Amino acid sequence: MLNSSQSQILPRPFLKWAGGKSRLIPQYSQHFPKQFTNYYEPFLGGGAVFFHLQPKSAVLTDINADLINTYCCVKDRVEELITYLKKHELRHNKEYYYDVRSYSCKKDIERAARLIYLNKTCFNGLYRENSKGEFNVPIGKYKNPMICNADLLRSVSTLLQSVTIEKRPFEDVLHYANSAEDFVYFDPPYFPINDTSYFTSYSRDSFTKDDQVKLRDVFVTLASRGVKVLLSNSDCEFIRELYSGFKIKPILAARAINSKGKLRGKVAEVLIISY
């Protein structure tokens, strides 16, 4: 049961995430299906759409093992996780950040606390790995980062109790979604539209042009089953041609991860809609 302070905090994304959709929900909301029973999100990330919809039945998946482990720990071991985060909060400084970044944790709960700590203190909440699968983002310039938001984590944990969370490739959604009762939202690494659009992957395994085509094929298969499918991506000729025949709605998003302030601003994206 939630205490009085927890009841005032609604579940929302507990991680900062490059490409996160929290600020775009007002533009997205009119395009969500009016009715569905089961929700699937195969590129989980920060989960902004899931937290907005708060469906009764959901399957949340991602290929990022550390990310999935963190969600699982928030769901199943939130009090233990809070204890670890408070320790990070007390010790946080530049030297400590790089010590934690270089340290490989073995226990699931320690890995989860490490990811949240680094996420809250690294540059712009950017998740990036090198070719060895090592987190390599520098420390951010925060005077007093909130590393442990205990009430939020407890609120999220309560919401996640009825949710299935698994490490899976996006195409595995084909094993689950098969009817008009199902709603699938895809938020893949975006197709790069210019030389500055370098952030096409958050793991050592890049999301290639062939992967974009494979994703389109999954989208088409789901749509043919009557599944309600929504996908976000960059607004470019390649993506528009890939999904020709489906509804394409332009969206303006704020660029937030570029280190050069002048390169931050409105960027054109699209929503692809099957229904």
Side-chain angles (χ1 to χ4, degrees):
M1 180 176 293
L2 297 178
N3 61 38
S4 59
S5 64
Q6 286 174 252
S7 65
Q8 298 173 8
I9 296 183
L10 296 176
R12 64 178 189 273
F14 61 93
L15 294 171
K16 297 183 291 182
W17 209 256
K21 297 299 182 285
S22 294
R23 295 181 180 180
L24 294 179
I25 292 298
Q27 293 186 70
Y28 278 34
S29 58
Q30 61 182 305
H31 302 298
F32 294 141
K34 302 301 181 185
Q35 292 184 327
F36 62 91
T37 302
N38 308 303
Y39 177 74
Y40 303 93
E41 188 166 346
F43 297 93
L44 179 53
V49 171
F50 162 76
F51 285 109
H52 171 74
L53 295 173
Q54 296 190 24
K56 293 181 179 179
S57 173
V59 177
L60 308 177
T61 59
D62 202 285
I63 61 165
N64 187 320
D66 282 335
L67 178 70
I68 291 301
N69 172 67
T70 299
Y71 272 88
C72 288
C73 286
V74 171
K75 175 183 177 181
D76 299 324
R77 305 169 66 180
V78 68
E79 294 302 327
E80 194 177 355
L81 179 61
I82 288 168
T83 298
Y84 274 92
L85 286 172
K86 286 181 177 179
K87 293 178 181 178
H88 283 309
E89 200 165 51
L90 288 172
R91 301 180 65 183
H92 173 63
N93 58 43
K94 184 175 181 179
E95 182 179 1
Y96 182 73
Y97 173 88
Y98 285 106
D99 283 345
V100 172
R101 196 186 75 164
S102 64
Y103 179 70
S104 179
C105 302
K106 294 183 179 180
K107 295 181 180 179
D108 288 347
I109 194 71
E110 291 178 346
R111 286 169 49 217
R114 175 182 180 270
L115 186 145
I116 294 175
Y117 167 68
L118 293 175
N119 176 260
K120 297 299 184 182
T121 55
C122 73
F123 172 73
N124 274 351
L126 177 65
Y127 192 98
R128 185 184 64 207
E129 295 178 349
N130 60 24
S131 60
K132 298 179 181 179
E134 299 168 337
F135 185 82
N136 65 349
V137 182
I139 192 171
K141 296 180 180 179
Y142 307 107
K143 290 184 178 180
N144 189 27
M146 179 175 281
I147 295 166
C148 181
N149 189 337
D151 287 340
L152 174 60
L153 290 172
R154 292 183 180 116
S155 179
V156 170
S157 180
T158 298
L159 178 64
L160 293 177
Q161 291 309 303
S162 61
V163 173
T164 298
I165 306 168
E166 297 179 344
K167 177 183 178 295
R168 286 181 175 270
F170 69 83
E171 60 268 26
D172 277 15
V173 72
L174 292 172
H175 301 322
Y176 303 118
N178 51 38
S179 77
E181 296 296 313
D182 300 324
F183 172 38
V184 178
Y185 170 56
F186 289 115
D187 183 26
Y190 281 16
F191 185 75
I193 56 177
N194 53 49
D195 291 341
T196 62
S197 302
Y198 60 89
F199 193 75
T200 58
S201 174
Y202 53 71
S203 74
R204 77 188 91 173
D205 303 310
S206 62
F207 203 80
T208 66
K209 194 171 185 177
D210 287 342
D211 290 322
Q212 295 285 357
V213 174
K214 183 178 180 180
L215 175 57
R216 187 277 314 274
D217 293 343
V218 172
F219 187 105
V220 170
T221 299
L222 291 170
S224 70
R225 297 174 178 176
V227 175
K228 300 175 178 71
V229 195
L230 182 69
L231 179 144
S232 51
N233 214 314
S234 53
D235 189 353
C236 61
E237 183 178 358
F238 173 71
I239 294 298
R240 283 180 174 267
E241 288 183 354
L242 208 57
Y243 291 93
S244 61
F246 293 101
K247 297 178 187 176
I248 299 177
K249 302 293 183 180
I251 298 290
L252 281 179
R255 183 191 298 275
I257 66 170
N258 202 298
S259 60
K260 298 179 181 179
K262 292 182 179 180
L263 294 180
R264 300 179 189 177
K266 297 295 183 180
V267 178
E269 302 184 0
V270 289
L271 284 179
I272 314 295
I273 306 169
S274 74
Y275 43 90

